Amino acid sequence: MTIPLDVEPGSSAAEPEAVVAGVRKIEGRSLWQISWMRLKRDKVAMAGGVVVILLILVAIFAPLICKIVGVTPNDFHQDLVDPSLQTPIGKWNGISWDHPFGIEPVNGRDIFARIVYGARISLLIAFLATLVAVVIGVAMGVIAGYFGGVVDTLISRLMDIFLAFPLVLFALALVGAIPDSAFGLEGDSLRVALIVFIIGFFSWPYIGRIIRGQTLSLREREFVDAARSLGARRPYILFTELLPNLVAPILVYATLLIPTNVLFEAGLSYLGVGVRPPTSSWGDMLSGAANWYQVDALYMVPAGLAIFVTVLAFNLFGDGLRDALDPRSH
């Protein structure tokens, strides 16, 4: 069969059969739309994302939640504590309608309220420390990967030094040496700022190495060569050509770094260098529960479960986000 030669350009016979039949043209999708479709198909990752959103909402609306439930984090209920054993009266750690997770030994503070308020400290420190690490790591990684040579060597050796630094010992020494008031801050604000600085400033080499490797690959791509040939300056190439293509790995690694920082903050609080009592912290609650596990083992369950669920949710969501943005990674 031959194509007729007398078909005019504007006639309907020249149109594709699908268009003639009334079928709509297929719309193109951006890379972010395709990634979102992949992420939605990953039910495990979506479940982790829902839990992450719920945890963030719990941290933001902690006072409202406690007001609705009718509990407070620092009020004592010693009338609910056995005066001889110093343990909660009743079974299951004193769980009741008034105290859904039970109460603490000795003072009778509500565990549910302290878990909810503890989410504020853990997530605040984890997010801020991740932000510090990402900003420093991306800046150093992009500079090292793009400029190369002596600059790359110096930054790479600096990364090695930071990675070999005894971070926990430094945190214990620094927090213990800082007075109650410094840098215009005091109390919990000073402690939170110090912990954010310690975690963020010493964890940037991890993301720095990843971004450096990505930048080394991107700087040899055709679009970067095209920008150079058109006379683009280095700042333009860095901010317009390279950084937009690094958003995906930055998001993925930041999502996976947050649960690590949650664990690190809990560890520091467990060692006694986190926020000071009576401010609630999951790590501090675990530290206190360690002295009561033989007679009140349920005391450590809520705080431990909160840390476990938070870390698991972020890791599941981070893994799903990585697979959605880069299907070749698995």
Side-chain angles (χ1 to χ4, degrees):
M1 180 182 294
T2 60
I3 300 175
L5 301 177
D6 58 345
V7 176
E8 296 179 1
S11 65
S12 61
E15 298 181 3
E17 294 181 1
V19 177
V20 175
V23 180
R24 292 183 301 175
K25 294 181 180 180
I26 299 176
E27 297 181 358
R29 296 188 178 94
S30 67
L31 292 177
W32 291 105
Q33 290 175 322
I34 296 173
S35 299
W36 171 241
M37 292 178 60
R38 294 195 194 105
L39 184 61
K40 287 194 297 184
R41 288 196 294 265
D42 191 341
K43 303 302 181 183
V44 176
M46 291 300 294
V50 171
V51 174
V52 167
I53 294 174
L54 290 176
L55 287 169
I56 294 174
L57 292 177
V58 166
I60 294 174
F61 298 105
L64 179 60
I65 294 173
C66 290
K67 184 178 181 180
I68 293 175
V69 178
V71 293
T72 53
N74 296 322
D75 287 348
F76 289 4
H77 301 89
Q78 292 182 324
D79 57 316
L80 302 177
V81 177
D82 189 325
S84 58
L85 299 176
Q86 298 295 303
T87 56
I89 298 174
K91 298 180 180 180
W92 304 102
N93 205 38
I95 292 178
S96 64
W97 289 109
D98 295 329
H99 303 284
F101 289 177
I103 58 175
E104 293 183 341
V106 182
N107 51 47
R109 290 181 298 187
D110 185 84
I111 295 178
F112 175 81
R114 294 186 65 76
I115 290 292
V116 170
Y117 271 86
R120 281 186 152 190
I121 296 296
S122 295
L123 293 182
L124 176 65
I125 292 176
F127 276 102
L128 291 180
T130 301
L131 178 62
V132 173
V134 167
V135 170
I136 300 176
V138 169
M140 302 295 278
V142 169
I143 292 173
Y146 182 75
F147 289 96
V150 178
V151 175
D152 185 18
T153 301
L154 291 176
I155 294 179
S156 297
R157 298 296 77 78
L158 185 63
M159 291 180 184
D160 294 337
I161 293 173
F162 273 82
L163 291 174
F165 207 83
L167 184 54
V168 176
L169 295 179
F170 179 77
L172 292 173
L174 182 60
V175 176
I178 293 294
D180 295 334
S181 178
F183 312 111
L185 301 173
E186 59 181 1
D188 289 338
S189 299
L190 178 60
R191 285 296 183 104
V192 169
L194 282 176
I195 295 174
V196 167
F197 169 76
I198 292 170
I199 298 177
F201 187 71
F202 287 93
S203 58
W204 68 263
Y206 297 99
I207 190 171
R209 282 188 164 183
I210 294 174
I211 298 303
R212 173 185 173 272
Q214 294 287 333
T215 305
L216 287 172
S217 175
L218 288 174
R219 73 176 186 179
E220 305 299 333
R221 302 284 291 274
E222 291 81 0
F223 61 89
V224 176
D225 291 335
R228 289 197 194 99
S229 65
L230 293 174
R233 296 180 180 273
R234 287 176 175 176
Y236 177 87
I237 296 176
L238 290 176
F239 289 100
T240 306
E241 302 293 342
L242 293 180
L243 280 180
N245 289 279
L246 294 172
V247 171
I250 291 172
L251 285 177
V252 170
Y253 190 79
T255 307
L256 296 174
L257 185 60
I258 290 173
T260 303
N261 292 339
V262 169
L263 288 174
F264 196 89
E265 183 278 329
L268 292 179
S269 296
Y270 185 88
L271 295 174
V273 294
V275 294
R276 292 182 176 178
T279 303
S280 178
S281 170
W282 293 343
D284 182 67
M285 292 181 68
L286 279 178
S287 178
N291 300 322
W292 292 90
Y293 74 94
Q294 292 183 337
V295 294
D296 190 7
L298 289 178
Y299 179 21
M300 66 173 57
V301 172
L305 194 60
I307 296 173
F308 172 77
V309 170
T310 302
V311 173
L312 180 63
F314 273 103
N315 280 330
L316 291 177
F317 180 70
D319 287 338
L321 187 63
R322 178 187 59 196
D323 295 340
L325 293 174
D326 186 9
R328 296 170 299 178
S329 62
H330 66 290

